[in-house]
């Protein structure tokens, strides 16, 4: 259904432009919006030979919910830590170490899945994307440094201002 900018009034005065928006084929290309498309996930043969069909809209809602849930609970461990042992930088260091461990486990999981699909550990490793250490060392270190400074500042502001003000201002 088109939306009208006439303020709910069906009559428009002469010379007044009426703006409408066709939500069914936005952005007016004649194609349905991307959110109406369906993604097809083919499960590995070891798990099942099924294909899961998920609309992009539902997948987007799920990940938006997951992002909100994880972002809202990121500071919960800080509330249960002893007050004098993890002030600011101590919590940031433990957060960084835990993040590094999670990345290593995620990489190992991806390697195992590739190895199962290729039926060889070596071929599974070779099928993984390259790390590009030489090209990515400087930008990666700079990005990590900037993220760490921002994360540490966010932790200190949450500790000083509380969750409501500190976390809101960090966003």
């Amino acid at each position: 259904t088109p939306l009208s900018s006439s303020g709910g009034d069906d009559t428009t005065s002469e010379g007044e432009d009426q703006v409408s928006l066709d939500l069914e084929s936005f952005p007016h290309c004649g194609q349905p919006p991307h959110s109406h498309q369906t993604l097809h996930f083919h499960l590995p043969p070891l798990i099942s030979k099924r294909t899961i069909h998920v609309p992009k809209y539902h997948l987007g809602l799920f990940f938006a919910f997951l992002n909100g849930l994880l972002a809202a609970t990121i500071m919960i461990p800080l509330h249960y830590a002893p007050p004098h042992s993890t002030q600011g930088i101590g919590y940031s260091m433990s957060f960084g170490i835990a993040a590094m461990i999670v990345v290593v486990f995620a990489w190992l999981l991806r390697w195992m899945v590739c190895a199962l699909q290729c039926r060889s550990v070596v071929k599974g490793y070779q099928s993984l994307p390259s790390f590009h250490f030489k090209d990515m060392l400087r930008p990666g270190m700079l990005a990590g440094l900037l993220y760490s400074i921002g994360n540490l500042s966010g932790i200190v502001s949450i500790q000083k201002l509380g969750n409501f003000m500190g976390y809101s201002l960090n966003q």
Side-chain angles (χ1 to χ4, degrees):
T1 62
L3 294 177
S4 174
S5 66
S6 61
D9 186 30
D10 289 340
T11 61
T12 57
S13 63
E14 199 172 309
E16 186 178 317
D17 291 335
Q18 184 174 3
V19 178
S20 65
L21 178 64
D22 182 10
L23 295 177
E24 295 301 318
S25 60
F26 189 77
H28 306 291
C29 62
Q31 299 291 324
H34 293 290
S35 62
H36 288 88
Q37 295 175 353
T38 301
L39 297 177
H40 309 284
F41 295 100
H42 303 285
L43 297 176
L46 294 174
I47 297 174
S48 174
K49 293 186 178 186
R50 292 183 49 210
T51 300
I52 299 175
H53 309 284
V54 181
K56 275 188 173 181
Y57 182 76
H58 294 160
L59 197 62
L61 283 177
F62 170 74
F63 281 111
F65 171 77
L66 185 64
N67 182 41
L69 179 70
L70 293 175
T73 60
I74 198 166
M75 291 297 169
I76 287 177
L78 186 61
H79 291 287
Y80 293 107
H84 299 291
S85 66
T86 54
Q87 293 294 321
I89 196 151
Y91 184 76
S92 183
M93 292 300 288
S94 66
F95 181 84
I97 292 168
M100 186 174 62
I101 290 169
V102 167
V103 167
V104 168
F105 278 122
W107 186 86
L108 289 172
L109 179 66
R110 183 170 180 187
W111 183 14
M112 288 181 356
V113 168
C114 289
L116 287 172
Q117 289 175 343
C118 296
R119 300 196 189 280
S120 167
V121 174
V122 174
K123 287 182 181 177
Y125 179 78
Q126 291 171 346
S127 70
L128 291 172
S130 175
F131 286 112
H132 299 285
F133 278 119
K134 187 177 179 182
D135 297 331
M136 296 306 299
L137 184 63
R138 280 189 185 161
M141 293 293 278
L142 181 61
L145 178 67
L146 291 174
Y147 177 80
S148 296
I149 291 170
N151 192 27
L152 180 61
S153 300
I155 290 169
V156 171
S157 70
I158 288 171
Q159 285 180 332
K160 301 297 180 192
L161 298 174
N163 280 338
F164 178 73
M165 286 297 294
Y167 196 75
S168 298
L169 291 173
N170 284 322
Q171 299 303 311

